[in-house]
Amino acid sequence: MGPHMKAYPFVVADTPYCVWEWDLDDRNRQYLDRVDVDYFRYVAQAHGELLGGEHDRRAAISIRAAYFHGLETLFALLCATIQAPRCIPAWLQKYQNSELRDCVERIHSRGVPLHNRLGLPETTWVSIASKVIAAKYDNPVRTAETKSEFGSLWERFAHDFLDPIQIAEYNSIKHGFRVGSGGFAIAVGIEENPGIACSQDKMQLIGGSSYGTSFYQAEPPSGSTLPKRDPNFRIKSHGLNWHPLSLAARLDLIGMSIKNVIAFLKIINGTAPERVEFVRPIDTTSFVQPWDHSVGVTSCTMDTVVGINDIRPMTGPEIMTSYGTTHADD
């Protein structure tokens, strides 16, 4: 007898879908076998070796971009696991970034309902990790600790993934490379004479980093009541500081997390448990050490004020007309 057409209904956040294939189970298993679970750990190592050399800042930016790429990959796999564990590639083909962030936000909000096929009474990072991290150690305390530490780790990752300014930075890196490379430092000092800047030797450094990015973000003028899609806006300057070695260590943890998620998915899709491997750092402190490195000041937004009363908003037709009534810009 020939194969039977198979259907798999699922949701992405709240949007319903149904995927159809003759060999749906085989395609799901093939996808899981093809995932390069060590990719992000490789990127961290390869670019980490270039730090401090001729391509120092380029390597740092590459690690930063890989970190956000890794976060999206991890959370997409986790949310697909929750909502469509029997057909991961189908969920991954249909999700939009806004839906993925919606799912992560619901989990991050601790218990906000999210449709799931894992039988979880609530979807929190702790409950998800308790289900997905199926590793068992001789010492039951270490087993419970591993599940708890991965739950806390994913919660820290979610904070970065949902942070609006870090989202803006990642978009500026991956879309048209709209960032300047390099961090900033902030120092303060008391003016001995009004209007005359304090001398450098008397300034007190608050914090800073040689690694980071500067970029612009489109924002409405201050005090604006213009509609959301109004064509008038400003480009506000932002700066972020971070340390690439800290990010490289986080990428290592992302790699471990992805490997564990894939291992869990292989088991529930028919692979014998003894044929998969779950991993974790040997030392428990490695779960939190990447966040211990402080650059003092992580973000800065110092710019002029562009208020709604400072401009005369142009209409769409006025903007279009300007192309026919003005000289070429160059």
Side-chain angles (χ1 to χ4, degrees):
M1 179 180 292
H4 295 283
M5 180 67 75
K6 185 169 184 179
Y8 187 76
F10 65 96
V11 296
V12 174
D14 296 317
T15 304
Y17 294 98
C18 186
V19 60
W20 298 82
E21 282 294 344
W22 294 105
D23 56 349
L24 197 58
D25 293 340
D26 288 341
R27 292 183 184 228
N28 191 40
R29 284 191 289 266
Q30 288 168 6
Y31 169 77
L32 296 175
D33 287 338
R34 289 201 301 257
V35 175
D36 184 353
V37 296
D38 292 319
Y39 171 75
F40 292 105
R41 301 175 74 181
Y42 158 77
V43 172
Q45 180 178 353
H47 289 290
E49 292 174 354
L50 299 177
L51 292 172
E54 177 185 358
H55 300 292
D56 179 53
R57 287 191 174 182
R58 290 171 181 154
I61 289 288
S62 296
I63 292 173
R64 183 64 167 174
Y67 176 60
F68 288 113
H69 184 190
L71 288 181
E72 180 176 350
T73 303
L74 171 60
F75 286 126
L77 284 171
L78 277 172
C79 291
T81 298
I82 294 166
Q83 295 200 315
R86 301 291 183 181
C87 198
I88 298 298
W91 197 98
L92 295 178
Q93 284 294 312
K94 284 297 182 179
Y95 85 87
Q96 301 292 320
N97 282 338
S98 59
E99 293 172 314
L100 177 59
R101 294 192 192 281
D102 178 40
C103 290
V104 174
E105 178 64 49
R106 293 197 210 180
I107 299 168
H108 202 55
S109 298
R110 304 197 178 200
V112 177
L114 181 67
H115 302 289
N116 80 88
R117 290 196 181 277
L118 297 184
L120 299 174
E122 61 176 7
T123 48
T124 64
W125 297 121
V126 171
S127 67
I128 294 168
S130 295
K131 186 78 172 182
V132 172
I133 306 299
K136 291 184 179 180
Y137 297 91
D138 293 336
N139 184 346
V141 173
R142 188 165 179 80
T143 299
E145 176 196 72
T146 302
K147 295 176 182 289
S148 175
E149 290 295 342
F150 272 104
S152 297
L153 174 67
W154 296 345
E155 185 170 8
R156 286 190 291 274
F157 281 150
H159 178 271
D160 286 349
F161 184 68
L162 296 171
D163 181 23
I165 194 64
Q166 294 192 60
I167 294 172
E169 180 197 27
Y170 183 41
N171 286 336
S172 292
I173 293 174
K174 67 179 180 178
H175 296 306
F177 203 72
R178 308 187 302 253
V179 299
S181 180
F184 63 89
I186 293 181
V188 297
I190 299 175
E191 294 181 348
E192 296 180 355
N193 298 301
I196 300 177
C198 178
S199 61
Q200 290 292 327
D201 62 319
K202 295 183 179 180
M203 298 287 280
Q204 180 68 45
L205 180 66
I206 296 178
S209 173
S210 58
Y211 298 105
T213 56
S214 57
F215 55 96
Y216 295 115
Q217 185 176 13
E219 297 183 10
S222 300
S224 173
T225 57
L226 298 171
K228 184 176 181 179
R229 294 190 177 276
D230 188 89
N232 298 275
F233 65 97
R234 69 165 306 185
I235 47 172
K236 193 171 185 179
S237 177
H238 294 276
L240 285 180
N241 279 337
W242 34 261
H243 199 285
L245 291 179
S246 172
L247 295 173
R250 297 183 201 186
L251 277 169
D252 195 45
L253 292 170
I254 286 175
M256 291 185 188
S257 297
I258 290 174
K259 187 168 187 174
N260 289 339
V261 173
I262 295 298
F264 170 75
L265 286 168
K266 285 183 175 181
I267 290 173
I268 65 174
N269 281 282
T271 301
E274 60 269 19
R275 294 183 57 192
V276 304
E277 179 186 30
F278 288 88
V279 294
R280 58 155 289 167
I282 296 175
D283 189 344
T284 302
T285 59
S286 296
F287 279 103
V288 296
Q289 279 180 343
W291 282 267
D292 287 344
H293 184 92
S294 175
V295 294
V297 181
T298 57
S299 65
C300 177
T301 302
M302 291 186 181
D303 209 337
T304 56
V305 175
V306 177
I308 189 62
N309 295 326
D310 298 319
I311 69 172
R312 184 192 71 79
M314 295 185 71
T315 65
E318 284 180 310
I319 295 170
M320 298 306 296
T321 299
S322 71
Y323 278 82
T325 60
T326 61
H327 297 290
D329 288 350
D330 58 354

